[in-house]
Amino acid sequence: MRHPKGFSHVAVWVLALLPGVLALPFLWPSLDQPREVLNALGRITGIWGLSLLLMAAALCCRVPGFDRPFGGLTKLWQLHHRLGAIAFLLLLAHPLLLSFAAAGISLDAAVSTLFSSQPASVWGWVALLALMAFMAPSFGFFGEPEYQRWKWLHRLSGVTVILALLHTGLLSRTLPGWLAWVLWSTLALLAISALSYRWLYARWRGRSSYRVTRVTHPARDVVELTLAPERQRLSYRSGQFIYLTPDRVGHIGHREEHPYTLSSAPDEQDLRVAIKDLGDASHAMLTVPEGTRLWVEGPYGDFFASNPARPELWVAGGIGITPFLGRVREAVRAGRPLQVHLIDCVQDETRFLFADELKGAFEGWPDSQLTVHYFYREGPLNQAFIKRVCPDVADRAVYVCGPLPLLERAREALSACGVPAGRLVTEEFVLL
Ligand SMILES: Cc1cc2nc3c(=O)[nH]c(=O)nc-3n(C[C@H](O)[C@H](O)[C@H](O)COP(=O)(O)OP(=O)(O)OC[C@H]3O[C@@H](n4cnc5c(N)ncnc54)[C@H](O)[C@@H]3O)c2cc1C
């Protein structure tokens, strides 16, 4: 996978860990007794818990282009989730460790450390309980959460950031006052700017309006919409995706934003998106009539970040053909043949989406090849199939897009074929 530990990832971790690292010299000298060690651990988990939580909040801004140094929005979300999950565990440990440390003095001291009536302590508990309530669905404690409900609840965890800051500002004395002020206000500023961008600016100014001008159905449960800009035209690269929000009152999914990859070529005047019926909102898109107004936000993603100086292998699964379709359309319009092997994994002949268009393009490219993998005939994609149809697979740059089971199978099979992880780029159609 590209950008395994890129500069941006390192920079985020450095910023997130900095307050705790700077606090270490102030905790170190007193570590001569177990009680002091527990106390120091209690403090450091509090500091790192808060700094990781603030960095997780700072990453949720979704400014178009900000995600690219991270390898795309899906990779950025993964980092956001990792920071949030570690912060959650650290913040759970924080009061317990402090109370264990106080238990070295007396049981009363331990209980009053845990349940002090000081306002700062109360804010801390409110923040922690709220965080538990808002993050529990992210950990799947109550089964797979319904996406929109999860998103709504997850948004509220921003409140816990403010409460945790209040708690720290009133109670923490580990770092010298000026240093604590500089560190926490810098991280708080990053987090609050990100949240304000996301929930205020992006909502009103960060989206462009488009109208549906054409509706086609490449298969029974798939629709391709052509969208014409009402004002500003979006500039993007093939393989990127947008958030689409239908502005159709009474329509299921009204005002619900969903990510869809652009299947059009970047130099087309209009945008195109191909949508498969995978749930309520995407099902409703199948019946969107011409003239419907939609809001577009983006572009996001970094699927085809670089042009590798080697032939490419594309592996598409079902609707995961969309980023490749954008590249094909771009090359056809530019009259620039590609050097690519596409393995399109489909259930059967009726599920071979955009078949005529793809066959037409590949017939005109002497150095390219199109292979269709029919599940009903071949079974799941495997190493033997890939090796047979694409013997030089190990020398290619490989891009895979499709449902999660296919991604996992393809990763295994490609690794067994000798494709190094650094030459394999994947796009998941799942952000949670
Ligand atoms: C980067 C990316 C690119 C995508 N490109 C395409 C595409 O080109 N064509 C296509 O048909 N589908 C694409 N998808 C998938 C599409 O976003 C989901 O199918 C759609 O959001 C499902 O919503 P639903 O309400 O119909 O189904 P639901 O039953 O509500 O959701 C089904 C699953 O889709 C995911 N999902 C639901 N809502 C959202 C949301 N708002 N944001 C992110 N994920 C969500 C969740 O994992 C959920 O479990 C893409 C997804 C991602 C992340």
Side-chain angles (χ1 to χ4, degrees), residues 144-305:
E144 177 125 353
E146 194 268 317
Y147 192 87
Q148 294 305 324
R149 202 169 306 142
W150 167 80
K151 200 167 167 180
W152 186 85
L153 204 61
H154 197 68
R155 243 177 246 171
L156 292 177
S157 46
V159 179
T160 61
V161 174
I162 314 271
L163 296 174
L165 271 170
L166 268 176
H167 168 77
T168 307
L170 291 170
L171 214 59
S172 175
R173 297 287 170 266
T174 306
L175 288 160
W178 67 270
L179 185 56
W181 195 87
V182 170
L183 285 171
W184 293 129
S185 23
T186 307
L187 291 180
L189 191 69
L190 284 177
I192 291 167
S193 311
L195 293 170
S196 314
Y197 175 88
R198 183 74 240 112
W199 305 123
L200 300 173
Y201 180 83
R203 192 137 290 225
W204 308 115
R205 305 297 301 272
R207 307 199 281 194
S208 316
S209 61
Y210 278 72
R211 286 226 182 248
V212 177
T213 52
R214 192 155 176 261
V215 180
T216 56
H217 290 273
R220 190 176 33 82
D221 53 357
V222 179
V223 67
E224 189 172 50
L225 305 177
T226 304
L227 313 172
E230 290 202 306
R231 280 199 210 106
Q232 216 180 328
R233 191 189 157 275
L234 191 79
S235 164
Y236 63 96
R237 296 157 60 109
S238 12
Q240 289 198 290
F241 67 94
I242 51 168
Y243 272 87
L244 206 59
T245 312
D247 190 16
R248 206 173 148 220
V249 183
H251 183 265
I252 299 165
H254 169 64
R255 298 262 162 91
E256 239 181 57
E257 50 172 29
H258 288 264
Y260 296 109
T261 305
L262 290 157
S263 57
S264 41
D267 65 338
E268 280 177 47
Q269 172 61 22
D270 295 341
L271 303 181
R272 283 192 270 176
V273 280
I275 300 176
K276 180 166 193 266
D277 173 2
L278 290 170
D280 280 1
S282 50
H283 175 76
M285 295 300 268
L286 261 66
T287 57
V288 156
E290 287 178 13
T292 304
R293 194 173 193 219
L294 297 151
W295 295 99
V296 168
E297 190 180 339
Y300 301 104
D302 198 34
F303 191 44
F304 296 114

